[in-house]
Structures are given as structure tokens and as C-alpha cells.
Amino acid sequence: MSAIESVLHESRVFPPSAETVAKAAISGMDAYRALAAEAERDYEGFWAKLAREAVGWHKPFSKVLDESNAPFYTWFEDGELNASYNCLDRHVEAGNGGTVAIVFEADDGAVTRVTYQELLSRVCRLANALKKRGVKKGDRVVIYMPMSIEGVVAMQACARIGAPHSVVFGGFSSKSLNERLVDVGAVALITSDEQMRGGKALPLKNIADEALAMGGCEAVKSVIVHRRTGGKVQWNADRDLWMHEITANEADACAPEWVGAEHPLFVLYTSGSTGRPKGVQHSTGGYLLWAAQSMKWTFDWKPSDVFWCTADIGWITGHTYIAYGPLALGATQVMFEGVPTYPDGGRFWSMIEKHKVTVFYTAPTAIRSLIKIAEADPKVHPKSYDLSSLRILGTVGEPINPEAWMWYYENVGGSRCPIVDTWWQTETGGHMITPLPGATPLVPGSCTLPLPGIMAAIVDETGQDVPNGQGGILVVKRPWPSMIRTIWGDPERFKKSYYPEELGGKLYLAGDGSVRDKDTGNFTIMGRIDDVLNVSGHRLGTMEIESALVANSIVAEAAVVGRPDDTTGEAVVAFVVLKRARPAGEEAAKLANELRAWVGKEIGPIAKPKDIRFGDNLPKTRSGKIMRRLLRSLAKGEAITQDVSTLENPAILDQLGESL
Ligand code: PRX
């Protein structure tokens, strides 16, 4: 039975305990329904009230939502604020400067703590140093850094001077970094000498040098380098600057640059259904509001919490639930440099124990891989650690299969902690559909119900509502404050991708399939309906990987599909036609490894195909269209039962069905 079918037949329900309900800010389903009804009744009033409460405004807004240039919606447009002021100064001014903001644990276990007061000083010093190098409001700064306090300082320093940042995940290749530097038109790059993960060093600065040498990004005048390991780096004295040197003599204060609510806070690249990644542009006001408010609601956050989100700052989860949401609330959070399996598979559990983490937020892939390790070795089983500090668990990034959910619930949460399965996207800025810990009855594998104010629905291909129990396309019916504003430099693509005419032009198209339960209305996500794969919670476009493969001089043609995988959710399978004869045996294995390494170089290791199949051709219709549904069956090792009468070359299926 597939995971989706099993969720649809899921009969286990876990209502929150009376104690959890009693202590929660949104206490019980009636409280949830009352908030949702308030949003239905007076949509703008609902959001305006939250925006006044959650955000500190330098100049208050008078307008709430402007739909006159739909789908380019604006929120709180005449209001002015600064995100960094909200995340730092506000807490210091309120007398909480001594509160620990970040408990940073390095790969080797070394722990560094930084208070709000210290974080503010460090952000101001870097902001001053950036200004001195000519970086000003509206200029874009690319950040290519490991998980580090300095990474958060870099993001906040950009926000402080009104320079939109674009963080590029440290696992991306020089080519991917170059494409993003060029597309966003960066004037500065902030990086580190090296990144440490699992005891291994990765030379970030060298990769950054390669990216800059590829050209097209001559506007990058300064490369600011954070010294993480002291490893050897090349140095270009005209361009490169050590972060510790340029910040050493700067002032601890830097007046925040007040920006309009719609001023872009950041651009974050993500995969779509074409070969080119999309620069998702977020606003300052609406984004910050939802980062803070969703953090408060979804995790029922309280000042006594120790929050830990294991995502990387290179992804949206690390933006909203590390760099902005927790800081906007004045929270104490744990930040981790390394990987969950180093030095052993008990790392997460030992860190929860050590730092007395109360709210833990991670990805299904991590849970699935740790289940395997823990079940094979009792020493690193969560039951061998004191996890009694935990009160709420969360997951994000991909569907969680009910069995992994149950394991997480019982073994990590001790059957006492609600699990919030949060569905959202780079484009949504923050959580959209998720249980509330003190209200929603939990169903393993379901993200349950939309947060108050989020008008999620399921429609058919023409944009008409479908009844509960019937699968369809997941949409959001009304704009919300933290939504994507546009695709950087490509407004037409924004419109076509997210507000397609086929659905009437007024519904936000998420790109996921979903179904609602007949009785509860709970949503279950069925995965992407476009050419986007989700491997270990990382979003990858099949076209991007195909483009990378055909860029290799030996490849004539390539088609990439996903295959369900027990650990990574989905795995990448590539069908490749070479310009030379179809290889076999050892030669095929050797070429497959070469192509895997090639994709790693072109995009990054996360995009490497797990399985490569060589053929003399690809299965095509007489009009030349590749029949992807056949490739998906072949990738899964299924017998082909579909109609293949329109296929030009049916014999090819046997060849492509063979694994190496
Ligand atoms: O397919 C959905 C899946 O991840 C996609 C968004 O990916 P990205 O923009 O990289 O953001 C990931 C982190 C927010 C969605 O379109 N997805 C995300 N969360 C869930 C999910 N699928 C099922 N359940 C979830 N909780």
C-alpha cells in the first residue's frame, strides 16, 4: 500500500492532552475556529490587527491589502520598518539584551552562546563595514556560508541596511553559485574559508572564487570572508576582505535603514519546472509578520522555550525559522553546524538532552535515516537519552509516512509531544497548513488544517472546488502577507507559474496535489504535480538535472524522473542516450559514475542521480515526445501495463528497464 493510501485509511487519531490544551495560546479547536472565522469575516482587519501586534513599525501603515495590480499584491504598503531592528534592538530596548539568542554547536561539539545584545553589536559592525564598501539600500548581497552565527549576522546586517540578501546553500556548486550571482546582480559576496560537516572540510572560498571567475558577475566588488577553519585559501587583495578584520574597528551601533513594507528583504532561489531556478522575492513587512506569528502559533512558542530547527540557512526553513522568526520573538534557539550522523547517529538526541531543547523541528528524511541507525544500535536510540525537555515536535519539507510519524511520536516525543506536520513552500514564506499543538487532533501523515487566515482549498483543472474525499490541485484562494511578491527579474514567469489563466488567474497554484478527509476536512499532501522532485526535502527540477546532463559532451539526450525511496522520499533516476554506442558492463558503471560526479559539479551533490540507465534512445511518441509516465514505471521497476501503441520504438523499454 502506498504511503498516501495508508494515510487515507489512517484511523489513528491523537488529540492533544488536556494539559497541552490548557497551556496553549490557541487552546482547543473552538479557539482555532474562532480565529479562522474572524479572518473570514474581516480579512483585512484580521491581518491588520496581527501586523500591529507582531511587528514594530517605524511608520504605521494605513493601507492593508492592495489588490489593484493582481496578482502583484501588496500588504501594509505605506508602513515603514526594519527587519533587523525588529529582531534585535526591540528586545534590547525591552531589557532582554542578556537573553541568549543562539546556542551554536559546531561540528566538533564546541558550543558558543551569543546574547541579543552581542548579536546586535555584531550585526551593526558588519552593517557598518558593508556600508563602507559602498553597499547601500536596494543592492543585492549573496551569502554562501555554512551554518554559523556569522551566517545569521550576515543576513541581519543586510536587512539592517536594506540590502536584499540571497543566500545560496553551501552544498551548491560553483556553477549554481555563479548563476545566482549573475541573476540577482550581486554587488558583494559573503562567504567562509571552509565549511565543516561530519569532520570533513569543504572549501567554500575556493568554490566562490571559481564561481566569480566564470564571469557575468563583475558587479561583485567585495568578497567578505569569515574565517571558520583557517584552511588555506587563494587571496585577491583587490577584492577579498577578512570579516574579522573589517569589523574589528567598526562601531557597535548602526542606525537601521527604514524601508517600506514591500521593500524586498531577500531573494531565495528554488527549482521550478524549467531548467532555470526561480528567484523568489519576499517582502519585509508581510514576511516578518508571518515569520513571527506562525512561529508563535505553530510551535505555541513561549519565552521559556529552547527552540531548535535543524534546517540550513540556505533554505527557506532556515530563513523563516532560524534567521527571522525566532529572533523576531526574542527566542532562544539552538543552531547546529554539522550532520545528524556525526560522530554517530545519536547526535540529535544528545544535543536535545544537552541543550534541554523544548521544541524540535526537523525533516522526515532525517527521521527516516535515524530510525534505521537507532533500530540497529541501541546506544544511539533516542530511548537511551533524556529527552524529557521536549514538548513539541515538528516536521517539514516532504510528506512524512505514517510509520515514521509513529516512530518519531513514540520514541522521540515519548507519546506526549504533539507533532506539527507543517506544509509550506519557499514561495509561501511561512507555514500554511499545520496542526496547532494545543488544538488539532493529529493524524499521522496529514498536515491537517490551514492556519487562521490561510484560505487553502482543493480544485480541479478548471479551478472549480472539488468535494472532500476527492483529490485535486492545492491552491490558496486569497493573497496572504508573506507570499512571494514576484520572481526576481521575471514578473511574467511569476504570473504564469503561480496564477495561471487555466485556473481563472486568481488562485495561487502551489504545485502540489492534495486531498481532504471527508469528515474532518484534514489535508493530506500527495506530492508535486509538476516536474519538481523532492529528494531528502530538497527541491530539484527534473529539467535542471537534464540540462546538466546534456551539457556533458558525451551525452546526446537525457530524461530525469523520480522514484519513491524509503529514506530520501524520492530518488533521482536518469535515462541517458550517449553520442557513442550504448555502454554495457564495467564501462557503463564507470560512465554512470562520471556522469553522477558531473551533475554534482554542475548543480551540487544533492542533485546526483541515484540510478542512471543507458539506452540507444528514449521512449518517444511518433511526434517525438518523451513518454515520461513510462519512464516513471521503468524507474520503479514496474512491468509496463500502459498502452504503448503510440510508441515509436517499443523495444527500447527492455533496454531502459535494466539497472546497472
Ligand atoms: O511538495 C511540497 C513539499 O515541499 C515543497 C516545497 O519545497 P520548498 O519550497 O523547498 O520548501 C520546503 C520547506 C518549506 C512543497 O510544494 N512539502 C513541504 N512541506 C511538506 C511538503 N509535503 C508534504 N508535507 C509537508 N509537510
Side-chain angles (χ1 to χ4, degrees):
M1 195 159 56
S2 77
I4 289 153
E5 280 167 30
S6 62
V7 171
L8 295 180
H9 300 126
E10 182 62 65
S11 54
R12 290 170 287 197
V13 181
F14 299 86
S17 70
E19 196 197 340
T20 311
V21 175
K23 289 187 183 155
I26 299 185
S27 172
M29 282 307 272
D30 286 346
Y32 162 72
R33 285 194 207 98
L35 275 168
E38 194 185 318
E40 293 272 358
R41 220 173 23 247
D42 174 12
Y43 196 64
E44 291 194 28
F46 168 85
W47 285 114
K49 183 164 162 254
L50 291 180
R52 285 188 194 107
E53 285 166 8
V55 176
W57 296 89
H58 176 66
K59 176 178 164 236
F61 56 88
S62 66
K63 279 200 294 193
V64 183
L65 168 63
D66 184 345
E67 303 188 77
S68 58
N69 189 26
F72 300 94
Y73 303 101
T74 64
W75 285 90
F76 320 117
E77 200 180 351
D78 60 349
E80 283 179 12
L81 75 164
N82 179 282
S84 152
Y85 174 83
N86 269 272
C87 292
L88 303 168
D89 309 55
R90 266 205 310 170
H91 312 308
V92 174
E93 286 167 12
N96 297 324
T99 302
V100 173
I102 301 176
V103 178
F104 178 76
E105 182 160 321
D107 194 52
D108 65 4
V111 175
T112 316
R113 287 184 173 76
V114 55
T115 64
Y116 275 91
Q117 178 70 63
E118 288 159 357
L119 199 58
L120 172 61
S121 304
R122 288 171 68 170
V123 167
C124 287
R125 285 163 178 266
L126 183 59
N128 285 329
L130 283 167
K131 284 208 288 198
K132 212 166 258 174
R133 267 93 210 155
V135 182
K136 54 185 193 310
K137 180 177 172 186
D139 286 345
R140 277 82 57 205
V141 176
V142 166
I143 298 174
Y144 184 62
M145 292 177 82
M147 287 291 282
S148 52
I149 293 172
E150 289 77 5
V152 174
V153 167
M155 293 166 82
Q156 288 282 343
C158 289
R160 194 155 193 97
I161 62 173
H165 56 69
S166 188
V167 184
V168 177
F169 173 57
F172 275 121
S173 67
S174 52
K175 180 132 183 283
S176 295
L177 175 59
N178 172 268
E179 281 166 7
R180 286 155 175 78
L181 284 163
V182 174
D183 193 81
V184 85
V187 303
L189 170 65
I190 308 180
T191 187
S192 301
D193 53 359
E194 296 185 307
Q195 158 164 310
M196 287 305 296
R197 282 167 69 82
K200 289 197 209 84
L202 185 81
L204 288 188
K205 167 68 164 66
N206 288 354
I207 300 173
D209 287 341
E210 267 174 44
L212 291 163
M214 285 173 188
C217 39
E218 289 69 27
V220 176
K221 296 286 180 253
S222 320
V223 176
I224 298 170
V225 188
H226 150 237
R227 186 146 77 194
R228 164 62 186 90
T229 63
K232 202 166 170 312
V233 290
Q234 303 286 329
W235 207 252
N236 175 345
D238 295 334
R239 187 196 69 187
D240 300 346
L241 306 153
W242 284 112
M243 187 186 278
H244 61 271
E245 286 179 7
I246 60 166
T247 52
N249 296 320
E250 288 298 342
D252 284 335
C254 169
E257 180 78 40
W258 304 112
V259 300
E262 284 296 315
H263 185 71
L265 181 60
F266 64 86
V267 175
L268 182 60
Y269 285 83
T270 189
S271 295
S273 39
T274 77
R276 266 188 60 217
K278 310 189 260 204
V280 173
Q281 179 181 321
H282 278 288
S283 70
T284 302
Y287 172 82
L288 194 70
L289 155 63
W290 200 226
Q293 191 63 46
S294 62
M295 165 103 192
K296 216 180 205 170
W297 277 346
T298 304
F299 300 115
D300 187 35
W301 177 81
K302 296 182 165 44
S304 54
D305 276 318
V306 177
F307 178 75
W308 183 17
C309 165
T310 68
D312 194 283
I313 51 168
W315 308 116
I316 190 69
T317 308
H319 280 59
T320 310
Y321 301 105
I322 296 178
Y324 290 106
L327 298 183
L329 295 181
T332 296
Q333 66 176 321
V334 172
M335 188 178 184
F336 177 41
E337 179 178 41
V339 297
T341 48
Y342 179 83
D344 60 39
R347 185 69 184 264
F348 275 1
W349 325 132
S350 82
M351 283 182 61
I352 292 171
E353 180 180 271
K354 178 154 88 184
H355 302 299
K356 301 201 167 39
V357 172
T358 60
V359 181
F360 179 62
Y361 190 33
T362 194
T365 292
I367 298 165
R368 285 191 297 262
S369 66
L370 295 177
I371 292 176
K372 283 193 191 153
I373 299 172
E375 293 303 328
D377 179 1
K379 279 205 301 297
V380 294
H381 195 285
K383 285 190 169 152
S384 303
Y385 300 81
D386 177 5
L387 305 183
S388 58
S389 57
L390 286 172
R391 62 178 199 95
I392 290 167
L393 302 175
T395 83
V396 58
E398 45 177 332
I400 180 160
N401 45 310
E403 294 327 306
W405 193 101
M406 285 305 306
W407 188 91
Y408 192 33
Y409 186 74
E410 288 171 353
N411 295 289
V412 182
S415 302
R416 101 190 155 264
C417 306
I419 299 181
V420 289
D421 176 354
T422 59
W423 176 85
W424 60 296
Q425 311 177 291
T426 305
E427 293 87 340
T428 69
H431 299 152
M432 299 294 278
I433 310 181
T434 173
L436 292 168
T440 320
L442 305 170
V443 178
S446 167
C447 54
T448 72
L449 296 166
L451 284 170
I454 301 300
M455 306 302 183
I458 301 181
V459 299
D460 64 17
E461 292 79 35
T462 64
Q464 299 303 308
D465 285 313
V466 302
N468 286 359
Q470 190 177 317
I473 300 169
L474 180 57
V475 296
V476 187
K477 290 193 159 177
R478 298 220 58 186
W480 66 102
S482 67
M483 66 186 296
I484 174 176
R485 292 306 195 260
T486 187
I487 293 176
W488 182 262
D490 202 347
E492 272 313 303
R493 190 173 174 200
F494 164 76
K495 248 167 123 165
K496 276 210 202 89
S497 309
Y498 302 109
Y499 285 90
E501 285 303 325
E502 303 86 77
L503 298 183
K506 287 198 148 45
L507 302 175
Y508 169 82
L509 173 68
D512 280 306
S514 184
V515 59
R516 299 188 72 166
D517 182 84
K518 276 209 183 80
D519 304 322
T520 57
N522 278 345
F523 286 77
T524 293
I525 304 297
M526 306 198 296
R528 301 288 305 192
I529 51 171
D530 53 10
D531 296 320
V532 169
L533 304 181
N534 193 324
V535 180
S536 300
H538 301 318
R539 193 163 145 182
L540 297 165
T542 53
M543 288 263 290
E544 272 174 83
I545 306 174
E546 288 165 9
S547 310
L549 284 165
V550 297
N552 187 299
S553 60
I554 65 167
V555 176
E557 220 178 345
V560 167
V561 299
R563 170 177 79 199
D565 185 280
D566 278 352
T567 306
T568 57
E570 265 187 303
V572 177
V573 181
F575 295 89
V576 175
V577 181
L578 297 181
K579 289 180 185 160
R580 56 177 90 160
R582 176 175 178 252
E586 264 179 37
E587 197 205 350
K590 187 173 144 269
L591 289 176
N593 276 338
E594 273 176 37
L595 290 179
R596 242 178 240 126
W598 172 265
V599 173
K601 270 288 242 185
E602 287 282 297
I603 303 175
I606 50 171
K608 283 184 185 176
K610 181 157 188 190
D611 190 358
I612 296 188
R613 314 261 180 102
F614 294 105
D616 291 322
N617 207 333
L618 296 173
K620 289 184 189 153
T621 60
R622 278 175 245 284
S623 58
K625 201 169 164 331
I626 297 172
M627 294 181 74
R628 285 174 183 276
R629 62 185 170 84
L630 293 180
L631 291 177
R632 278 192 276 270
S633 298
L634 289 174
K636 281 193 237 169
E638 286 174 359
I640 302 287
T641 52
Q642 296 106 317
D643 178 14
V644 293
S645 58
T646 54
L647 203 60
E648 164 100 52
N649 49 353
I652 208 71
L653 297 177
D654 291 336
Q655 262 187 10
L656 294 172
E658 289 168 25
S659 290
L660 288 179

